[in-house]
Amino acid sequence: QVQLVESGGGLVQTGGSLRLSCAASGSIFSINTMHWYRQAPGKQRELVARITGGARIKYADSVKGRFTISRDNAKNTVYLQMNSLEPEDTAVYYCAAGPFDYSPQYWGQGTQVTVSS
């Protein structure tokens, strides 16, 4: 089993920045890819960004140029730096992880990000 704990969410004004962190513990040897997803009220959960063990990165088109995903393998932690935040970025952000690029096996509890206009 893998445990994922997110932190760093909060309330920010339009144009502001937040940095999310997700610390993994447990059977971390089973993890290759770490992901950030988000779910806004009334919408489906969507991929924000993912990063593989080899540092291949994918972003959703809506966040390209504004968000940056990174990972510190020594700390078993993945980060999401979010800049130029917009009200449309308001959502619960979830960290996820697994052995493959798709269909992550493990999920965190989520952290709320609210962007006020």
Side-chain angles (χ1 to χ4, degrees):
Q1 286 291 335
V2 172
Q3 293 77 43
L4 302 171
V5 179
E6 303 104 333
S7 60
L11 173 64
V12 65
Q13 292 185 332
T14 297
S17 298
L18 283 174
R19 187 193 195 206
L20 305 183
S21 300
C22 172
S25 61
S27 301
I28 57 175
F29 59 85
S30 65
I31 296 174
N32 179 55
T33 304
M34 300 191 76
H35 316 245
W36 286 100
Y37 281 76
R38 67 185 180 187
Q39 186 166 20
K43 295 188 177 181
Q44 288 188 332
R45 188 175 297 185
E46 63 175 356
L47 174 70
V48 177
R50 66 169 178 255
I51 182 168
T52 69
R56 286 185 294 110
I57 292 173
K58 176 180 174 63
Y59 293 103
D61 288 343
S62 59
V63 307
K64 282 181 181 177
R66 300 188 298 122
F67 291 11
T68 302
I69 189 171
S70 61
R71 67 192 286 175
D72 184 334
N73 291 326
K75 296 182 178 180
N76 301 317
T77 299
V78 64
Y79 305 96
L80 186 68
Q81 178 67 43
M82 305 185 294
N83 299 327
S84 302
L85 283 161
E86 305 167 350
E88 292 74 22
D89 296 315
T90 295
V92 177
Y93 283 70
Y94 297 91
C95 175
F100 308 113
D101 288 1
Y102 302 98
S103 302
Q105 186 173 355
Y106 307 104
W107 292 84
Q109 293 298 307
T111 184
Q112 177 70 46
V113 171
T114 302
V115 184
S116 64
S117 57

